[in-house]
Structure formats: C-alpha cells, structure tokens
Coordinates of all heavy atoms in Angstrom, one line a residue:
M27 N 86.2 109.0 74.6 CA 87.4 108.5 75.1 C 87.5 108.7 76.6 O 87.3 109.7 77.0 CB 88.5 109.3 74.3 CG 89.9 108.6 74.4 SD 91.1 109.5 73.5 CE 90.6 109.7 71.9
P28 N 87.9 107.6 77.3 CA 88.0 107.7 78.8 C 89.2 108.7 79.1 O 90.1 108.8 78.4 CB 88.4 106.4 79.3 CG 88.3 105.5 78.2 CD 88.1 106.2 76.9
Q29 N 88.9 109.3 80.3 CA 89.8 110.1 80.9 C 90.4 109.6 82.2 O 89.6 109.1 83.0 CB 89.3 111.6 81.2 CG 89.2 112.5 80.1 CD 88.9 113.8 80.7 OE1 88.2 114.2 81.6 NE2 89.2 114.9 79.9
L30 N 91.7 109.5 82.3 CA 92.3 109.0 83.6 C 93.0 110.2 84.2 O 93.5 111.1 83.6 CB 93.3 107.8 83.3 CG 92.9 106.6 82.8 CD1 94.0 105.6 82.6 CD2 91.7 106.0 83.4
I31 N 92.9 110.3 85.6 CA 93.5 111.3 86.3 C 94.7 110.6 87.3 O 94.4 109.9 88.1 CB 92.7 112.1 87.2 CG1 91.5 112.6 86.4 CG2 93.3 113.2 88.1 CD1 90.1 112.5 86.8
F32 N 96.0 111.1 86.9 CA 97.0 110.5 87.7 C 97.4 111.5 88.8 O 97.6 112.7 88.6 CB 98.3 110.3 86.8 CG 98.0 109.2 85.7 CD1 97.6 109.4 84.5 CD2 98.2 107.8 86.1 CE1 97.3 108.4 83.6 CE2 98.1 106.8 85.2 CZ 97.6 107.1 83.9
K33 N 97.4 110.9 90.0 CA 97.8 111.8 91.2 C 99.1 111.5 91.8 O 99.2 110.3 92.2 CB 96.6 111.7 92.2 CG 96.9 112.6 93.4 CD 95.7 112.5 94.4 CE 95.9 113.4 95.5 NZ 95.0 113.5 96.5
E34 N 100.0 112.3 91.6 CA 101.4 111.9 92.1 C 101.6 112.4 93.5 O 100.7 112.9 94.1 CB 102.3 112.7 91.2 CG 102.3 112.4 89.7 CD 103.4 112.8 88.8 OE1 104.6 112.2 89.0 OE2 103.1 113.6 88.0
A35 N 102.6 111.8 94.1 CA 102.9 111.9 95.5 C 102.9 113.3 96.0 O 102.5 113.6 97.1 CB 104.1 111.1 95.9
D36 N 103.3 114.3 95.1 CA 103.5 115.7 95.6 C 102.2 116.4 95.3 O 101.9 117.6 95.6 CB 104.5 116.5 94.9 CG 104.2 116.6 93.4 OD1 103.1 116.1 92.9 OD2 105.0 117.1 92.6
G37 N 101.1 115.6 94.9 CA 99.7 116.2 94.8 C 99.3 116.7 93.3 O 98.3 117.0 93.1
T38 N 100.4 116.6 92.5 CA 100.1 117.0 91.1 C 99.2 116.1 90.4 O 99.3 114.9 90.6 CB 101.5 116.9 90.3 OG1 102.3 117.7 90.9 CG2 101.2 117.5 88.8
E39 N 98.2 116.6 89.8 CA 97.2 115.8 89.1 C 97.3 116.0 87.5 O 97.2 117.2 87.2 CB 95.7 116.1 89.5 CG 95.5 115.6 90.9 CD 94.0 115.5 91.4 OE1 93.2 115.9 90.5 OE2 93.7 115.2 92.6
T40 N 97.4 114.9 86.8 CA 97.4 115.1 85.4 C 96.3 114.3 84.7 O 96.1 113.0 85.1 CB 98.8 114.5 84.8 OG1 99.9 115.2 85.5 CG2 98.9 114.7 83.4
T41 N 95.4 114.9 84.0 CA 94.3 114.3 83.3 C 94.7 113.9 81.9 O 95.3 114.8 81.1 CB 93.1 115.3 83.2 OG1 92.8 115.5 84.6 CG2 91.9 114.6 82.6
V42 N 94.5 112.7 81.5 CA 94.9 112.2 80.1 C 93.7 111.6 79.5 O 93.1 110.6 80.2 CB 96.1 111.0 80.3 CG1 96.6 110.6 78.9 CG2 97.2 111.6 81.2
D43 N 93.5 111.9 78.2 CA 92.5 111.2 77.4 C 93.1 110.0 76.8 O 94.3 110.2 76.2 CB 92.0 112.2 76.3 CG 91.3 113.4 76.9 OD1 90.4 113.1 77.5 OD2 91.6 114.6 76.3
V44 N 92.7 108.9 76.9 CA 93.3 107.7 76.5 C 92.4 106.8 75.8 O 91.3 106.5 76.2 CB 94.1 107.0 77.7 CG1 93.1 106.7 78.8 CG2 94.6 105.7 77.3
P45 N 92.7 106.4 74.5 CA 91.9 105.4 73.7 C 91.8 104.1 74.5 O 92.8 103.7 75.1 CB 92.7 105.3 72.5 CG 93.7 106.3 72.5 CD 94.0 106.8 73.8
V46 N 90.6 103.6 74.5 CA 90.4 102.2 75.1 C 91.4 101.2 74.4 O 91.7 101.2 73.2 CB 88.9 101.8 74.7 CG1 88.6 100.3 75.0 CG2 87.9 102.6 75.5
G47 N 91.9 100.4 75.3 CA 92.7 99.4 74.8 C 94.2 99.7 75.1 O 95.1 98.7 75.1
K48 N 94.6 100.9 75.2 CA 96.0 101.3 75.6 C 96.1 100.8 77.1 O 95.2 100.7 77.7 CB 96.3 102.8 75.4 CG 96.6 103.3 74.2 CD 97.4 104.6 74.2 CE 98.1 104.8 72.9 NZ 98.9 106.1 73.0
S49 N 97.4 100.7 77.5 CA 97.6 100.4 78.9 C 97.5 101.7 79.9 O 97.7 102.7 79.2 CB 98.8 99.6 79.1 OG 100.0 100.4 79.0
V50 N 97.2 101.5 81.0 CA 97.3 102.6 81.9 C 98.8 103.2 82.0 O 99.0 104.4 82.0 CB 96.9 102.1 83.4 CG1 97.2 103.3 84.4 CG2 95.5 101.8 83.3
M51 N 99.8 102.4 81.8 CA 101.2 102.9 81.7 C 101.4 103.7 80.6 O 101.9 104.9 80.6 CB 102.1 101.7 81.8 CG 103.7 102.1 81.5 SD 104.0 102.4 79.8 CE 104.3 100.8 79.1
E52 N 100.8 103.3 79.4 CA 101.0 104.1 78.1 C 100.2 105.4 78.3 O 100.7 106.4 77.9 CB 100.5 103.4 77.0 CG 101.2 102.2 76.5 CD 100.7 101.3 75.5 OE1 99.4 100.9 75.7 OE2 101.3 100.9 74.6
A53 N 99.1 105.4 78.9 CA 98.3 106.7 79.3 C 99.3 107.6 80.0 O 99.3 108.9 79.8 CB 97.0 106.3 80.0
A54 N 99.9 107.1 81.1 CA 100.7 108.0 81.9 C 101.9 108.4 81.1 O 102.2 109.6 81.2 CB 101.2 107.1 83.2
R55 N 102.4 107.6 80.3 CA 103.6 108.0 79.5 C 103.2 109.2 78.5 O 103.9 110.1 78.4 CB 104.1 106.9 78.8 CG 105.5 107.0 78.2 CD 106.0 105.8 77.5 NE 104.9 105.5 76.4 CZ 104.9 104.3 75.8 NH1 105.7 103.4 76.0 NH2 104.0 104.1 74.8
D56 N 102.0 109.0 77.8 CA 101.4 109.9 77.0 C 101.2 111.3 77.7 O 101.3 112.2 77.0 CB 100.3 109.4 76.2 CG 100.5 108.3 75.3 OD1 101.7 108.0 75.1 OD2 99.5 107.7 74.8
G57 N 100.9 111.2 78.8 CA 100.6 112.4 79.5 C 101.7 113.0 80.4 O 101.6 113.8 81.1
N58 N 102.9 112.4 80.1 CA 104.1 112.9 80.8 C 104.0 112.9 82.2 O 104.4 113.8 82.9 CB 104.5 114.4 80.2 CG 104.9 114.3 78.8 OD1 105.6 113.4 78.3 ND2 104.3 115.3 78.0
V59 N 103.5 111.9 82.7 CA 103.3 111.7 84.3 C 104.8 111.1 84.6 O 105.2 110.0 84.5 CB 102.3 110.6 84.6 CG1 102.2 110.4 86.1 CG2 100.9 111.2 84.1
S60 N 105.5 112.0 85.4 CA 107.0 111.7 85.5 C 107.1 110.6 86.6 O 108.2 110.0 86.6 CB 107.8 112.9 86.0 OG 107.1 113.5 87.3
G61 N 106.1 110.4 87.4 CA 106.2 109.4 88.5 C 106.0 108.0 87.9 O 106.3 106.9 88.7
V62 N 105.5 107.8 86.7 CA 105.5 106.4 86.2 C 106.7 106.3 85.0 O 106.7 107.0 84.2 CB 104.2 106.3 85.3 CG1 104.1 104.9 84.5 CG2 103.0 106.3 86.4
V63 N 107.7 105.5 85.4 CA 109.0 105.6 84.7 C 108.9 104.5 83.5 O 109.2 104.8 82.4 CB 110.1 105.2 85.6 CG1 111.4 105.1 84.9 CG2 110.2 106.2 86.8
A64 N 108.3 103.2 83.8 CA 108.2 102.3 82.7 C 109.4 102.0 81.9 O 109.5 102.0 80.7 CB 107.0 102.7 81.8
D65 N 110.4 101.6 82.7 CA 111.8 101.4 82.2 C 111.8 100.2 81.0 O 112.4 100.5 80.0 CB 112.7 100.9 83.1 CG 113.5 102.1 83.8 OD1 113.6 103.2 83.1 OD2 113.9 101.9 85.0
C66 N 110.9 99.2 81.3 CA 111.0 98.1 80.3 C 110.0 98.3 79.2 O 109.9 97.5 78.2 CB 110.8 96.9 80.9 SG 109.1 96.5 81.5
G67 N 109.2 99.4 79.1 CA 108.3 99.6 78.0 C 107.2 98.8 78.1 O 106.4 98.5 76.9
G68 N 106.8 98.2 79.1 CA 105.6 97.3 79.2 C 105.9 95.8 79.1 O 105.1 95.0 78.9
A69 N 107.1 95.3 79.2 CA 107.5 94.0 79.0 C 107.4 93.2 80.3 O 107.7 92.1 80.4 CB 108.8 93.8 78.4
L70 N 106.9 93.8 81.3 CA 106.7 93.3 82.6 C 108.0 92.7 83.1 O 108.2 91.6 83.5 CB 105.7 91.9 82.6 CG 105.1 91.3 83.9 CD1 104.6 92.5 84.7 CD2 104.1 90.4 83.4
A71 N 109.0 93.6 83.1 CA 110.4 93.3 83.5 C 111.0 94.3 84.4 O 112.3 94.4 84.5 CB 111.2 93.0 82.3
C72 N 110.3 95.3 85.0 CA 110.9 96.3 85.6 C 110.2 96.8 86.9 O 111.0 97.2 87.8 CB 111.2 97.6 84.7 SG 109.7 98.4 84.4
A73 N 108.9 96.7 87.0 CA 108.1 97.2 88.2 C 108.2 98.7 88.4 O 108.0 99.1 89.6 CB 108.5 96.4 89.4
T74 N 108.7 99.5 87.4 CA 108.7 101.0 87.6 C 107.5 101.6 87.0 O 107.4 102.8 86.7 CB 109.9 101.6 86.8 OG1 110.0 101.3 85.5 CG2 111.2 100.9 87.5
C75 N 106.4 100.8 86.8 CA 105.1 101.5 86.4 C 104.1 101.2 87.5 O 102.8 101.3 87.1 CB 104.7 100.8 85.1 SG 104.4 98.9 85.2
H76 N 104.6 100.9 88.7 CA 103.7 100.6 89.8 C 102.8 101.8 90.1 O 103.2 103.0 90.1 CB 104.6 100.4 91.0 CG 103.9 100.3 92.4 ND1 104.6 100.5 93.4 CD2 102.7 99.7 92.7 CE1 103.9 100.0 94.5 NE2 102.7 99.7 94.1
C77 N 101.5 101.4 90.2 CA 100.4 102.4 90.6 C 99.6 101.9 91.6 O 99.5 100.7 91.8 CB 99.5 102.8 89.3 SG 100.5 103.8 88.1
Y78 N 98.8 102.9 92.3 CA 98.0 102.5 93.3 C 96.5 102.6 92.9 O 96.1 103.7 92.4 CB 98.0 103.3 94.7 CG 99.4 103.0 95.3 CD1 100.2 104.2 95.7 CD2 100.0 101.9 95.7 CE1 101.4 104.1 96.2 CE2 101.2 101.7 96.4 CZ 101.8 102.8 96.6 OH 103.0 102.8 97.2
F79 N 95.8 101.5 92.8 CA 94.2 101.7 92.4 C 93.5 101.5 93.9 O 94.0 100.9 94.8 CB 93.9 100.6 91.6 CG 94.6 100.6 90.2 CD1 95.8 100.2 89.9 CD2 93.9 101.2 89.2 CE1 96.4 100.3 88.8 CE2 94.3 101.5 88.0 CZ 95.8 101.0 87.6
T80 N 92.4 102.0 93.9 CA 91.6 101.8 95.1 C 91.0 100.4 95.1 O 91.0 99.7 94.1 CB 90.2 102.9 95.2 OG1 89.5 102.4 94.0 CG2 90.7 104.3 94.9
E81 N 90.6 100.0 96.4 CA 90.0 98.6 96.4 C 88.8 98.5 95.6 O 88.6 97.4 95.2 CB 89.7 98.4 97.9 CG 91.1 98.3 98.8 CD 90.9 97.8 100.0 OE1 90.1 96.9 100.2 OE2 91.6 98.3 101.1
E82 N 88.0 99.5 95.4 CA 86.8 99.4 94.5 C 87.3 99.3 93.0 O 86.8 98.4 92.2 CB 86.0 100.7 94.8 CG 84.5 100.5 94.3 CD 84.2 100.5 92.9 OE1 84.7 101.2 92.1 OE2 83.4 99.6 92.5
Q83 N 88.2 100.1 92.6 CA 88.8 100.0 91.2 C 89.3 98.6 91.1 O 89.0 98.1 89.9 CB 89.8 101.1 91.1 CG 89.3 102.4 90.9 CD 90.4 103.5 91.0 OE1 91.6 103.2 91.3 NE2 90.1 104.8 90.7
V84 N 90.0 98.0 91.9 CA 90.7 96.8 91.7 C 89.7 95.7 91.3 O 89.9 94.8 90.6 CB 91.4 96.3 93.0 CG1 91.7 94.9 93.0 CG2 92.7 97.1 93.0
T85 N 88.4 95.8 91.8 CA 87.4 94.7 91.5 C 87.0 94.8 90.1 O 86.4 93.9 89.6 CB 86.1 95.0 92.3 OG1 85.4 96.2 92.0 CG2 86.4 95.0 93.9
H86 N 87.3 95.9 89.4 CA 87.0 96.0 87.9 C 88.2 95.6 87.0 O 88.1 95.7 85.8 CB 86.6 97.4 87.6 CG 85.4 97.8 88.4 ND1 84.1 97.6 87.8 CD2 85.3 98.5 89.5 CE1 83.3 98.2 88.7 NE2 83.9 98.6 89.6
L87 N 89.4 95.2 87.6 CA 90.6 95.0 86.9 C 90.8 93.5 86.6 O 90.3 92.7 87.4 CB 91.8 95.5 87.6 CG 91.8 97.1 87.9 CD1 93.1 97.5 88.6 CD2 91.6 98.0 86.7
P88 N 91.4 93.1 85.5 CA 91.8 91.8 85.3 C 92.8 91.3 86.5 O 93.5 92.1 87.0 CB 92.6 91.8 84.0 CG 92.9 93.3 83.6 CD 92.0 94.0 84.4
A89 N 92.6 90.0 86.8 CA 93.4 89.5 87.8 C 94.9 89.7 87.5 O 95.3 89.6 86.4 CB 93.1 88.0 88.0
K90 N 95.6 89.6 88.5 CA 97.1 89.8 88.3 C 97.7 88.3 88.0 O 97.2 87.3 88.4 CB 97.8 89.8 89.9 CG 98.1 91.3 90.1 CD 98.6 91.5 91.4 CE 97.9 92.1 92.5 NZ 98.3 92.1 93.7
S91 N 98.6 88.3 86.9 CA 99.3 87.1 86.5 C 100.4 86.7 87.6 O 100.7 87.7 88.5 CB 100.0 87.4 85.2 OG 101.1 88.2 85.4
E92 N 100.8 85.6 87.6 CA 101.8 85.2 88.6 C 103.1 86.1 88.3 O 103.7 86.5 89.4 CB 102.1 83.8 88.4 CG 102.6 83.0 89.5 CD 102.7 81.5 89.3 OE1 101.7 80.9 89.0 OE2 103.8 81.0 89.5
T93 N 103.4 86.4 87.0 CA 104.7 87.2 86.8 C 104.4 88.6 87.4 O 105.4 89.1 87.9 CB 104.8 87.2 85.3 OG1 104.9 85.9 84.7 CG2 106.3 87.9 85.0
E94 N 103.3 89.2 87.2 CA 103.1 90.5 87.8 C 103.2 90.5 89.3 O 103.9 91.4 89.8 CB 101.6 91.1 87.3 CG 101.5 92.5 88.0 CD 100.1 93.1 87.7 OE1 99.3 92.5 86.9 OE2 99.8 94.1 88.2
E95 N 102.7 89.5 89.9 CA 102.7 89.2 91.3 C 104.3 89.2 91.7 O 104.6 89.8 92.6 CB 102.1 88.0 91.7 CG 101.7 87.7 93.1 CD 100.4 88.4 93.5 OE1 99.4 87.9 93.0 OE2 100.5 89.2 94.3
D96 N 104.9 88.5 91.0 CA 106.5 88.3 91.3 C 107.1 89.6 91.1 O 107.9 90.1 91.9 CB 107.1 87.2 90.4 CG 106.6 85.9 90.8 OD1 106.0 85.6 91.8 OD2 106.9 84.9 89.8
M97 N 106.7 90.3 90.0 CA 107.6 91.4 89.7 C 107.3 92.7 90.7 O 108.0 93.5 91.1 CB 107.1 92.1 88.2 CG 107.8 91.3 87.2 SD 109.7 91.2 87.4 CE 110.1 92.9 87.4
L98 N 106.0 92.6 91.3 CA 105.6 93.6 92.2 C 106.6 93.7 93.4 O 106.8 94.6 94.1 CB 104.1 93.5 92.7 CG 103.2 94.4 91.8 CD1 101.7 93.8 92.2 CD2 103.3 95.8 92.1
E99 N 107.1 92.5 93.8 CA 108.0 92.3 94.8 C 109.3 93.2 94.6 O 110.0 93.5 95.6 CB 108.5 90.9 95.0 CG 107.3 89.9 95.4 CD 106.7 90.3 96.7 OE1 107.3 90.7 97.6 OE2 105.3 90.2 96.6
F100 N 109.5 93.7 93.3 CA 110.7 94.5 93.2 C 110.4 95.9 93.3 O 111.2 96.8 92.9 CB 111.4 94.2 91.8 CG 112.0 92.7 91.8 CD1 111.1 91.6 91.3 CD2 113.2 92.4 92.4 CE1 111.7 90.4 91.3 CE2 113.7 91.2 92.2 CZ 113.0 90.1 91.8
A101 N 109.1 96.3 93.6 CA 108.8 97.7 93.5 C 109.4 98.5 94.6 O 109.5 97.9 95.6 CB 107.1 97.9 93.6
N102 N 109.9 99.6 94.3 CA 110.6 100.4 95.5 C 109.7 101.1 96.4 O 110.1 101.1 97.6 CB 111.4 101.6 94.7 CG 112.7 101.0 94.3 OD1 113.4 100.0 94.8 ND2 113.2 101.5 93.2
A103 N 108.5 101.4 96.0 CA 107.5 101.9 97.0 C 106.9 100.9 97.8 O 106.8 99.7 97.4 CB 106.6 102.8 96.3
E104 N 106.1 101.3 98.9 CA 105.4 100.4 99.7 C 104.4 99.6 98.9 O 103.7 100.4 97.9 CB 104.7 101.0 101.0 CG 103.7 102.1 100.6 CD 102.8 102.4 101.6 OE1 102.4 101.5 102.4 OE2 102.4 103.6 101.6
L105 N 104.0 98.5 99.2 CA 102.9 97.8 98.4 C 101.6 98.0 99.2 O 101.7 98.0 100.3 CB 103.1 96.4 98.2 CG 104.4 96.0 97.3 CD1 104.5 94.4 97.2 CD2 104.2 96.5 95.8
R106 N 100.5 98.2 98.4 CA 99.2 98.4 99.1 C 98.4 97.3 98.6 O 98.7 96.7 97.4 CB 98.7 99.8 98.8 CG 99.5 100.9 99.4 CD 98.9 102.3 99.1 NE 99.8 103.3 99.5 CZ 99.5 104.7 99.2 NH1 98.4 105.0 98.3 NH2 100.3 105.6 99.6
P107 N 97.1 97.2 99.1 CA 96.3 96.2 98.5 C 95.9 96.4 97.1 O 95.7 95.7 96.2 CB 94.9 96.3 99.5 CG 95.5 96.7 100.6 CD 96.7 97.8 100.3
G108 N 96.0 97.9 96.6 CA 95.7 98.1 95.2 C 96.9 98.3 94.4 O 96.6 98.8 93.4
S109 N 98.0 97.8 94.8 CA 99.2 97.9 94.0 C 99.1 97.2 92.7 O 98.7 95.9 92.7 CB 100.4 97.5 94.7 OG 100.8 98.4 95.7
R110 N 99.2 97.6 91.5 CA 99.4 96.9 90.3 C 100.5 97.6 89.4 O 100.9 98.6 89.6 CB 98.0 97.1 89.5 CG 96.8 96.5 90.2 CD 96.9 95.0 90.4 NE 97.1 94.2 89.1 CZ 96.2 93.7 88.4 NH1 94.9 93.7 88.9 NH2 96.4 93.0 87.3
L111 N 100.9 96.7 88.5 CA 101.8 97.3 87.4 C 101.0 97.8 86.3 O 100.3 97.0 85.7 CB 102.8 96.2 87.0 CG 103.8 95.7 88.2 CD1 104.7 94.6 87.6 CD2 104.6 96.9 88.6
S112 N 101.1 99.2 86.0 CA 100.1 99.6 85.1 C 100.2 99.3 83.7 O 99.3 99.4 82.9 CB 100.2 101.3 85.4 OG 101.4 101.7 85.0
C113 N 101.3 98.7 83.3 CA 101.5 98.2 82.0 C 100.6 97.1 81.7 O 100.4 96.5 80.6 CB 103.0 98.0 81.6 SG 103.7 96.6 82.5
Q114 N 100.1 96.5 82.8 CA 99.4 95.1 82.7 C 97.8 95.5 82.5 O 97.1 94.5 82.7 CB 99.6 94.2 83.7 CG 101.2 93.8 83.8 CD 101.5 93.2 82.4 OE1 100.9 92.2 81.9 NE2 102.4 93.8 81.7
I115 N 97.5 96.8 82.7 CA 96.1 97.1 82.8 C 95.5 97.9 81.5 O 95.9 98.9 81.4 CB 95.9 98.0 84.0 CG1 96.6 97.6 85.3 CG2 94.3 98.4 84.3 CD1 96.0 96.3 85.9
P116 N 94.7 97.2 80.8 CA 94.1 97.8 79.7 C 93.1 98.9 80.0 O 92.2 98.6 81.0 CB 93.5 96.7 79.0 CG 93.6 95.6 79.7 CD 94.2 95.9 81.0
V117 N 93.0 99.9 79.4 CA 92.0 101.0 79.7 C 90.7 100.6 79.1 O 90.7 100.2 77.9 CB 92.4 102.4 79.2 CG1 91.5 103.4 79.3 CG2 93.8 102.9 79.9
T118 N 89.6 100.8 79.9 CA 88.3 100.5 79.4 C 87.4 101.7 79.7 O 87.9 102.7 80.4 CB 87.7 99.3 80.2 OG1 87.6 99.8 81.7 CG2 88.4 98.1 80.2
D119 N 86.3 101.7 79.0 CA 85.3 102.8 79.2 C 84.9 103.0 80.5 O 84.8 104.2 80.9 CB 84.1 102.6 78.2 CG 84.3 103.0 76.8 OD1 85.0 104.0 76.5 OD2 83.9 102.3 76.0
E120 N 84.8 102.0 81.3 CA 84.3 102.2 82.6 C 85.3 102.8 83.6 O 85.0 103.2 84.7 CB 83.9 100.8 83.3 CG 84.9 99.9 83.5 CD 84.3 98.7 84.2 OE1 83.4 98.6 84.7 OE2 85.1 97.6 84.3
M121 N 86.6 103.0 83.1 CA 87.6 103.6 83.9 C 87.6 105.1 83.8 O 88.4 105.9 84.5 CB 89.0 103.2 83.6 CG 89.1 101.6 83.8 SD 90.6 100.8 83.1 CE 91.9 101.4 84.1
D122 N 86.6 105.7 82.9 CA 86.4 107.1 82.8 C 86.3 107.8 84.1 O 85.5 107.6 84.9 CB 85.3 107.5 81.9 CG 85.3 108.9 81.4 OD1 86.3 109.6 81.2 OD2 84.3 109.5 81.5
G123 N 87.3 108.8 84.3 CA 87.3 109.5 85.5 C 88.0 109.1 86.8 O 88.1 109.7 87.8
W124 N 88.6 108.0 86.5 CA 89.4 107.3 87.8 C 90.6 108.2 88.0 O 91.3 108.6 87.2 CB 89.8 105.9 87.2 CG 88.7 104.7 87.3 CD1 87.5 104.9 87.4 CD2 89.0 103.4 87.5 NE1 86.8 103.7 87.5 CE2 87.8 102.7 87.4 CE3 90.2 102.6 87.5 CZ2 87.7 101.2 87.5 CZ3 90.2 101.2 87.4 CH2 88.9 100.6 87.4
V125 N 90.7 108.2 89.4 CA 91.9 108.8 89.9 C 92.8 107.7 90.3 O 92.4 106.7 91.0 CB 91.6 109.8 91.1 CG1 92.9 110.4 91.7 CG2 90.7 110.9 90.7
I126 N 94.1 107.7 89.8 CA 95.1 106.6 90.0 C 96.2 107.4 90.6 O 96.8 108.2 90.1 CB 95.4 106.0 88.6 CG1 94.2 105.2 88.1 CG2 96.6 105.0 88.9 CD1 94.3 104.8 86.6
E127 N 96.5 106.8 91.8 CA 97.6 107.2 92.5 C 98.9 106.7 92.1 O 99.0 105.5 91.9 CB 97.5 107.0 94.0 CG 97.0 108.1 94.9 CD 97.1 107.7 96.3 OE1 96.1 107.2 96.9 OE2 98.2 108.0 97.0
V128 N 100.0 107.5 92.1 CA 101.4 107.1 91.7 C 102.3 107.2 92.8 O 102.2 108.2 93.7 CB 101.9 108.2 90.6 CG1 103.4 107.9 90.2 CG2 101.0 108.3 89.5
P129 N 103.0 106.2 93.1 CA 103.9 106.0 94.3 C 105.0 107.1 94.3 O 105.3 107.8 93.1 CB 104.6 104.7 94.2 CG 103.9 104.0 93.1 CD 103.1 105.0 92.3
D130 N 105.6 107.5 95.5 CA 106.5 108.5 95.5 C 107.9 108.1 94.9 O 108.7 109.1 94.7 CB 106.8 109.0 97.0 CG 107.1 107.9 97.9 OD1 107.2 106.7 97.5 OD2 107.3 108.1 99.1
T131 N 108.1 106.8 94.7 CA 109.4 106.4 94.0 C 109.0 105.1 93.2 O 108.0 104.5 93.4 CB 110.3 106.1 95.1 OG1 111.6 105.7 94.5 CG2 109.9 104.9 96.0
Q132 N 109.9 104.9 92.3 CA 109.8 103.8 91.4 C 110.9 103.0 91.4 O 112.0 103.3 91.5 CB 109.4 104.2 89.8 CG 108.0 104.8 89.9 CD 106.8 103.8 89.8 OE1 107.1 102.5 90.0 NE2 105.6 104.2 89.6
Ligands
FES203 S1 106.7 99.0 82.3 FE1 108.1 97.6 83.1 S2 106.9 96.3 84.4 FE2 105.5 97.7 83.6

C-alpha cells in the first residue's frame, strides 16, 4: 500500500498508508492532516483541499479538468505551478513515498 507524507506549513509531517484508488484528499482526511479541510467532501466545490505537488510529481498526475482549474482560483493560499485540488488526484502505487506540501491556509 503506498505511503504519502503530508508536510504542513508548520513543518509537521504526517505519513499515511493509503489504498490505491482513494484520493489524496481522502488520504489526508484519514490521516487527520488538519491543513486539508475538504469542506465539500470531494465534490469539486470548495478548493479547501488545495495541495502543492512538485513539478516532477505533477508530470505523473492526471491533467486538471476545466472545473478544477476554475475552482483553484478560489484557493486562499498562493497558487504555485504544482497547485492541485487533492480530491481530484487518485492515489497510485508510483506515489509511494511522495512528500506533498499543504498550504498554510485553505
Ligand atoms: S474537497 Fe472540495 S474541492 Fe476538493
């Protein structure tokens, strides 16, 4: 089972074992990562599951939908090239060991 490491703005790191196919947001929620709020429960209607992926990681992710692109505009934290809404990212085996940064605000 892949492990994801969520790194919050205060430096706290939380490692979560997550079954393939769950979303990165669900992994954060299951791991009680407080910086991922996910108000809408994954319905792509809140932008409070914003996370930062590295530019290398982004090359392995599915492309953003137009709706995700639009919703990211509502994110409270600064947008970076690796900004994604984590409810839209399914966990895969190749993500094992990834460190995913959580913004300082949602
Ligand atoms: S949880 Fe609301 S957009 Fe991802």
Side-chain angles (χ1 to χ4, degrees):
M27 194 181 304
Q29 281 193 329
L30 299 183
I31 300 139
F32 291 92
K33 185 172 181 185
E34 300 197 65
D36 66 359
T38 305
E39 290 193 3
T40 306
T41 301
V42 185
D43 293 313
V44 50
V46 167
K48 273 200 169 189
S49 71
V50 172
M51 176 278 280
E52 289 171 314
R55 198 184 51 193
D56 291 352
N58 296 314
V59 176
S60 58
V62 176
V63 179
D65 273 334
C66 77
L70 198 44
C72 72
T74 61
C75 63
H76 177 202
C77 286
Y78 297 126
F79 294 83
T80 66
E81 291 190 42
E82 205 284 320
Q83 289 169 346
V84 162
T85 64
H86 299 272
L87 300 181
K90 272 182 240 171
S91 66
E92 210 172 298
T93 311
E94 182 183 348
E95 197 84 64
D96 291 345
M97 284 308 301
L98 269 168
E99 297 300 319
F100 295 97
N102 278 326
E104 64 159 329
L105 293 179
R106 297 181 189 168
S109 285
R110 295 295 303 261
L111 294 180
S112 59
C113 68
Q114 300 303 299
I115 313 290
V117 173
T118 62
D119 277 321
E120 72 175 344
M121 295 166 82
D122 185 39
W124 280 18
V125 178
I126 297 167
E127 255 190 272
V128 178
D130 58 354
T131 183
Q132 289 285 2

